[in-house]
Amino acid sequence: MTHELHDITLVVNGRSHPIRVEARRTLADAIREECGLTGTHLGCEHGVCGACTVLLDDQPVRACLMFAVQADGRAIRTVEGLAHGDTLSPLQKAFIEQHALQCGYCTPGFLMLGTAILEQNPDIGDEELIEILSSNLCRCTGYANILRAVRAAAAAMREEGVA
Amino acid sequence: MKPAAFRYHAPRTEEEALAILAAVAPEDGRILAGGQSLMPTMAFRMARPAHLVDINGVAAFGLLAAEGGVLRIGPCVRHAMLGAPLVGGPLGALLGTVRRHIAHLPIRTRGTFCGSLAHADPASEWCLVSATLGAEMVLRSVGGTRRVAAAEFFQGIMTTALAADEMLVEARLPLLAEGTRSGFYEFSRRPGDFAQAMAIATFTLDGGVMSAPRLGLGGVEDRPCRLPAAEAMLDGQPPSAALFAAVAAAALPGLVPMTDDPHRLRLAETAIIRALSRAAGLPE
Ligand SMILES: Cc1cc2nc3c(=O)[nH]c(=O)nc-3n(C[C@H](O)[C@H](O)[C@H](O)COP(=O)(O)OP(=O)(O)OC[C@H]3O[C@@H](n4cnc5c(N)ncnc54)[C@H](O)[C@@H]3O)c2cc1C
Ligand code: FES
Ligand code: FES
């Protein structure tokens, strides 16, 4: 077995993290352990729950289903990058206002998935929105409030002219 | 839940990728495409490849082009790319409908069409599309190139014609003629889960009767299949609920389901009827 180490740079939320990892290190583990950004959660570690969802070049991906070496130099966004200082993103605010979280374990994954939806398709129809949100699992909320939060954030962004 | 150690290779050209694969295949060296099936298997330690050949850096593998009557699909074309806006026409419409049933968006942004075919899960939607439409697979190793028809490519549960040192360098899907109607129906327990039964129907309507019908069934037998006897019953007939029910009933006795779950055949029957009804625009 080979435990060869690779020197790579993960660019997370615009900041470069030069790190040294084994090839088998998943992107999720490298973000948490080597970059110290523990907002990205791990639930199942095999692609089912979506807790580890991050944006890779603005596309939502499962960070447990990529190796860190594959993300060398690419633009990664995690939940830590959503707020500007103390100002939460419209989606983060909506999650609080609409009670879209309880224990919060799934929340970083849903926020990144929701952020991708709002950036790519802010006028998304209900059927498609429900289908895309079914990508991730939440054991607490029953999903209805998460759906409402994405809708509320889309409306708030439209009003502010962000979208 | 962590993959075992392996040696990572990141070739930049097809030649390099095939040369590395030839060298590492005897030690269970494998191709890493989207990783959306391989990585879960490695996380469970059901697979412990000693080498991975990551093909994501080979620019030419992004090939996606309609040429000479076929859609040419390279090894790095993601699920999310198949359908509008990148693939148009009746084939693009069918692929776009089917795509929504494959896993979830964050998996569709990474997983590849060719990876699905190489993985050959009996419940894979792209395998069913390939079998129904009669895709041709282009297999290549350092030793040369072979072209294999879908009917010979799929050989059973997660078993294909690919040798250990061979790569699926291209899948070729026949384009559907203008005016071709298609219908897809899948039953799964939750959106994004693997299909328990699914069917695809395509035909054209000329003067009120069906011609060039194709009917395929997936998720029931150990590989996706076309149903030629059912196609013969449809050819030259006007679409009707009664005919579709008769076609589905006639198809059941010939099936060899993977499970002895009695519901599986009923789901197959329903999938066939609904795929045909959707293609015909009849109520289900
Ligand atoms: C939660 C979840 C749900 C899913 N649901 C579905 C679903 O509903 N339907 C469905 O069809 N799939 C589903 N999948 C699987 C997904 O579609 C995979 O993307 C696909 O099965 C494999 O493609 P890949 O590119 O990810 O291949 P990889 O995971 O990279 O590879 C899979 C296998 O194929 C080999 N391989 C890959 N490319 C080639 C090639 N070009 N030539 C030779 N060998 C190759 C690899 O060596 C490996 O053995 C799901 C996955 C997850 C995690
Ligand atoms: S931890 Fe990645 S999908 Fe569950
Ligand atoms: S808030 Fe607890 S899992 Fe979603």
Side-chain angles (χ1 to χ4, degrees), chain A residues 13-34:
Chain A
N13 305 321
R15 211 189 121 201
S16 291
H17 299 260
I19 61 171
R20 176 169 289 188
V21 290
E22 279 185 59
R24 62 167 162 164
R25 195 70 151 162
T26 66
L27 176 59
D29 278 340
I31 290 171
R32 289 177 56 84
E33 308 291 333
E34 273 76 25

Side-chain angles (χ1 to χ4, degrees), chain B:
Chain B
M1 300 305 294
K2 309 286 181 195
F6 60 88
R7 224 172 128 209
Y8 177 72
H9 307 267
R12 293 281 149 188
T13 64
E14 181 182 305
E15 293 66 37
E16 212 189 321
L18 292 174
I20 298 170
L21 187 61
V24 302
E27 298 168 52
D28 192 17
R30 299 199 203 177
I31 288 168
L32 173 63
Q36 306 298 291
S37 290
L38 186 53
M39 286 197 63
T41 326
M42 289 175 68
F44 284 121
R45 302 262 172 133
M46 291 183 325
R48 304 177 66 137
H51 298 263
L52 286 186
V53 186
D54 182 355
I55 58 172
N56 288 281
V58 180
F61 283 172
L63 168 78
L64 179 62
E67 263 169 36
V70 296
L71 182 68
R72 303 179 61 192
I73 305 173
C76 288
V77 173
R78 318 282 169 187
H79 305 323
M81 295 161 75
L82 292 155
L86 296 181
V87 186
L91 179 60
L94 173 61
L95 297 179
T97 301
V98 171
R99 166 178 69 189
R100 291 182 59 176
H101 295 264
I102 302 175
H104 304 283
L105 178 67
I107 292 162
R108 299 198 283 264
T109 57
R110 298 286 306 162
T112 66
F113 186 90
C114 289
S116 288
L117 303 194
H119 190 60
D121 191 304
S124 152
E125 288 83 356
W126 292 145
C127 294
L128 173 62
V129 167
S130 303
T132 308
L133 302 187
E136 183 185 60
M137 322 302 180
V138 184
L139 281 51
R140 192 166 295 149
S141 69
V142 287
T145 301
R146 301 193 284 151
R147 285 158 202 274
V148 179
E152 282 84 53
F153 183 81
F154 300 113
Q155 302 187 343
I157 300 173
M158 291 171 180
T159 310
T160 69
L162 280 164
D165 66 344
E166 264 181 330
M167 192 189 311
L168 180 57
V169 291
E170 191 179 321
R172 298 183 168 182
L173 280 182
L175 296 176
L176 296 174
E178 249 351 283
T180 303
R181 296 162 159 268
S182 63
F184 175 70
Y185 179 80
E186 166 170 332
F187 180 85
S188 60
R189 291 212 168 101
R190 286 182 347 119
D193 271 2
F194 281 97
Q196 307 228 312
M198 59 184 162
I200 292 178
T202 68
F203 50 77
T204 52
L205 273 182
D206 297 318
V209 301
M210 294 177 279
S211 70
R214 280 180 181 259
L215 184 63
L217 180 72
V220 176
E221 298 192 303
D222 68 352
R223 69 198 81 173
C225 62
R226 259 182 89 179
L227 301 168
E231 291 171 1
M233 286 174 74
L234 296 164
D235 201 10
Q237 301 297 318
S240 74
L243 174 62
F244 294 164
V247 162
L252 296 189
L255 297 175
V256 185
M258 285 179 292
T259 75
D260 50 15
D261 172 4
H263 296 299
R264 205 49 85 94
L265 282 179
R266 297 306 311 280
L267 288 174
E269 185 178 18
T270 302
I272 291 170
I273 293 173
R274 293 194 181 171
L276 285 164
S277 305
R278 286 180 180 186
L282 294 179
E284 287 164 24

Side-chain angles (χ1 to χ4, degrees), chain A residues 41-52 62 64:
Chain A
H41 290 174
L42 280 161
C44 66
E45 298 192 284
H46 64 269
V48 170
C49 73
C52 65
R62 305 285 211 226
C64 71

